[in-house]
Amino acid sequence: MQRLQRGVNRRLFTLVLIGTLIAVLGTAAGGGAVQAAATQGYDWEDGTAQGWSVDWGGDDPTSSTAVALSGARSLALSVEGREYPGFRSPSRLPGLTVGSLVTYHLYTPRSARLLQVKPYVTDKAYVEHFGPWSRLTPGSWTTLTWRVPAVPDIHHLGLEFDSRGWDGRVYLDDASWTKTDPRGSLFDGQNLIYGSHIGAWDMDGGTAISNATAAANVTAAKIRVIKWQMWKPPCELRPTDCQTEAQFNAAIDGIRRLGAEPLVGLPPIWDQQCATAPDPWSLAWQQWIIRTAGSRVNLYEMGNEPDHYCGLTGQQYHDQLWVNVPTLKAYARTLGHQIYVGGPGWSASDAPSLAELKVWLAATKADYLAHAQNRDWLPDFISTHTYLVTPTENDTQAHAQAAIDAWGNFYDDLQAYVNSAFAGLTDQGYPIADELKLADSEWNDTIDLTWPGNESQAWTDFYVHAMFAMLRTHNVWLSNQSTIASHTGQALDLLTTEGTPKPEYNSYKAESTTDPRNN
């Protein structure tokens, strides 16, 4: 009864945003659905409803063999003449965003003479935003396409039916949608949470690249993004106590050989590179990295734990480091390629950190508006770190879960601020807030290299699963476990010094190789 009442009350929303939607109908002549340029979708061939459910006024849908457009199955939707039933997908569909072109294929029996349908999406408050009503063709497949309107924080796709007194079943098959992030396909990826870090204090990338056993295990774990940082100034800028171009290239080429996307940290990345330190960072150093990496590197992180190593506040990070980002992006374009820069790699994900991130993000918004809405001033992702404290947060599973849950709440609060602060701002017609991805660029269950807890397979199975569940649930786009093989086989490493698996590697691989979105 509650669902039926909701379906009646939300009738007020039926005209909302119709003018922004495009509906096109046509009858399919047969054969498979055309899904060019489409991302993930639904075909119901596994015999389940694939997470679809009734939204109001009907029964839950089921997989059916009664009729199918392609394959052997479709989704049967129960339509009753006394109601306006609505059916919806699971939430937060990968790649679904404002401007996505959604395609449905619907079959209606010959007896359904006046059946109508209209698509919708729900927002973060679960309010429906509808397209126009469209008539379905009796006795055949009808193709319905429409474009997702400007809705904040899209949760579900859905379909509502007006049966005009007809009782029966409508069949849905081959539902799909296109990607639309104007920055390109990298930002539509759903597999970049499977990342790690290499080369801590190894200027050429270290064991994970040079050791064949380690490299094979990294590849086998389907690690999709690898973070690496340059520790010494290039010899081109300082001829002694420096890092050679050959070492730099070994790290970048090695990451690419592992099948991963490099995420390169721009200095300063530790206290040796802060003001008055022995290896002070410079714009010339940052430009050298971008020039030398060339098209091999798309993703950069401006700084690394600037609050921890350099003692910066959110405003100081903006004033001293982030101010260089537009210059670096423009510089990369003069070399013929596009780079994407995020930050700040804040050392913690808690309430004080959120306050500093808000200051930084507010400053980037002011920059964006002051520079004629130049997208270069805004981050491409917002990154923080999540390490359990030893021993208070990793002494029991309950304590660890509480900390992980708190990080999930932190990312929700950060996303809520982004949605509010950047509401109404667009990039090539698409909401800026949807483009500011969240990243956990370093995570592990300790910062103590000698902690023995990671020798327990039962512990790492719990911890790694809980972390990936948190990252997925709270819409974190990219993450890096720290580290693959950078601390000589100690507590943080996935691999031993010989490149063989440790318990945390086994747990990681179990998650990364069974997730269908890690393709």
Side-chain angles (χ1 to χ4, degrees):
M1 188 65 187
Q2 183 178 6
R3 281 174 174 163
L4 177 58
Q5 185 63 43
R6 179 175 176 233
V8 173
N9 288 344
R10 54 151 192 78
R11 206 63 60 211
L12 295 173
F13 298 103
T14 58
L15 297 180
V16 175
L17 298 174
I18 285 178
T20 66
L21 306 179
I22 300 173
V24 181
L25 283 108
T27 302
V34 177
Q35 298 188 36
T39 156
Q40 294 188 16
Y42 293 94
D43 60 10
W44 296 283
E45 290 298 303
D46 64 358
T48 74
Q50 297 182 358
W52 281 67
S53 63
V54 65
D55 210 353
W56 62 80
D59 298 323
D60 277 331
T62 58
S63 178
S64 172
T65 58
V67 64
L69 178 66
S70 63
R73 291 181 174 272
S74 62
L75 190 69
L77 310 175
S78 178
V79 175
E80 299 181 15
R82 298 182 303 277
E83 299 175 324
Y84 286 81
F87 305 90
R88 74 182 187 188
S89 71
S91 65
R92 296 193 179 277
L93 301 179
L96 180 70
T97 186
V98 173
S100 286
L101 188 66
V102 182
T103 301
Y104 297 109
H105 297 89
L106 295 155
Y107 181 87
T108 52
R110 293 186 181 278
S111 58
R113 301 294 181 186
L114 301 174
L115 191 65
Q116 295 189 101
V117 65
K118 63 180 175 182
Y120 65 89
V121 292
T122 65
D123 61 22
K124 62 181 179 181
Y126 299 98
V127 172
E128 298 86 6
H129 300 261
F130 292 93
W133 286 108
S134 299
R135 181 72 58 83
L136 296 175
T137 304
S140 64
W141 286 96
T142 300
T143 300
L144 170 67
T145 64
W146 66 290
R147 198 169 296 278
V148 176
V151 174
D153 198 9
I154 297 167
H155 275 247
H156 304 95
L157 283 175
L159 291 169
E160 182 185 23
F161 294 89
D162 178 1
S163 66
R164 302 292 183 94
W166 178 80
D167 290 341
R169 287 185 171 187
V170 176
Y171 299 89
L172 173 63
D173 203 356
D174 290 342
S176 63
W177 54 94
T178 61
K179 302 178 181 181
T180 60
D181 192 307
R183 294 171 298 175
S185 60
L186 178 66
F187 291 90
D188 290 320
Q190 292 293 303
N191 55 7
L192 294 185
I193 67 166
Y194 296 106
S196 194
H197 185 290
I198 65 168
W201 308 300
D202 291 320
M203 291 191 289
D204 62 357
T207 303
I209 287 172
S210 59
N211 180 293
T213 300
N217 281 320
V218 172
T219 302
K222 300 175 69 173
I223 293 174
R224 300 307 189 190
V225 59
I226 290 176
K227 180 177 176 179
W228 177 79
Q229 300 153 320
M230 191 176 184
W231 292 91
K232 293 286 185 179
C235 296
E236 183 177 315
L237 299 182
R238 189 179 73 185
T240 60
D241 192 22
C242 56
Q243 190 158 341
T244 68
E245 185 173 341
Q247 290 172 320
F248 181 89
N249 287 332
I252 301 303
D253 290 338
I255 292 170
R256 282 293 184 192
R257 284 196 304 271
L258 294 171
E261 186 79 25
L263 169 60
V264 173
L266 295 170
I269 62 169
W270 67 318
D271 49 8
Q272 290 288 102
Q273 298 167 0
C274 299
T276 72
D279 299 325
W281 71 275
S282 66
L283 177 60
W285 183 354
Q286 294 170 343
Q287 289 176 324
W288 184 93
I289 291 174
I290 291 167
R291 180 174 67 251
T292 307
S295 60
R296 294 175 297 173
V297 177
N298 299 305
L299 295 176
Y300 291 90
E301 188 173 35
M302 175 54 79
N304 175 63
E305 299 192 354
D307 53 328
H308 172 66
Y309 289 114
C310 301
L312 301 184
T313 64
Q315 188 65 53
Q316 289 170 330
Y317 172 76
H318 169 269
D319 296 345
Q320 297 178 34
L321 300 183
W322 193 257
V323 70
N324 281 349
V325 169
T327 299
L328 293 172
K329 287 189 173 184
Y331 175 68
R333 286 194 295 271
T334 69
L335 303 175
H337 61 274
Q338 182 82 14
I339 65 170
Y340 304 99
V341 186
W346 216 247
S347 65
S349 301
D350 53 18
S353 301
L354 181 62
E356 297 297 339
L357 292 173
K358 288 180 177 180
V359 170
W360 165 59
L361 288 168
T364 69
K365 175 185 176 182
D367 292 335
Y368 171 74
L369 295 175
H371 293 85
Q373 299 190 355
N374 182 343
R375 181 66 176 78
D376 287 354
W377 288 91
L378 298 179
D380 292 296
F381 59 89
I382 306 162
S383 57
T384 61
H385 295 170
T386 55
Y387 287 93
L388 291 179
V389 176
T390 301
T392 57
E393 293 179 344
N394 57 12
D395 56 341
T396 68
Q397 289 187 6
H399 287 164
Q401 189 64 62
I404 293 169
D405 291 343
W407 292 332
N409 292 333
F410 165 87
Y411 286 121
D412 284 348
D413 291 343
L414 177 56
Q415 186 66 64
Y417 174 78
V418 168
N419 292 343
S420 174
F422 293 88
L425 299 180
T426 61
D427 171 21
Q428 302 177 54
Y430 300 101
I432 288 289
D434 288 352
E435 296 179 9
L436 304 188
K437 308 290 190 180
L438 305 184
D440 186 348
S441 56
E442 286 186 25
W443 59 265
N444 212 318
D445 53 359
T446 186
I447 57 171
D448 181 354
L449 298 182
T450 64
W451 184 63
N454 276 340
E455 298 305 317
S456 166
Q457 191 67 64
W459 165 262
T460 62
D461 283 349
F462 153 75
Y463 165 70
V464 172
H465 177 76
M467 278 299 298
F468 279 122
M470 182 275 291
L471 295 168
R472 279 284 189 230
T473 300
H474 299 279
N475 209 30
V476 176
W477 166 73
L478 175 151
S479 81
N480 296 99
Q481 182 275 350
S482 181
T483 60
I484 299 172
S486 303
H487 296 93
T488 63
Q490 298 183 74
L492 277 70
D493 281 9
L494 295 178
L495 302 173
T496 68
T497 53
E498 292 77 29
T500 57
K502 295 179 64 182
E504 193 171 10
Y505 172 88
N506 297 329
S507 305
Y508 185 110
K509 183 179 177 182
E511 297 289 329
S512 63
T513 58
T514 58
D515 186 339
R517 286 175 284 187
N518 187 15
N519 46 38

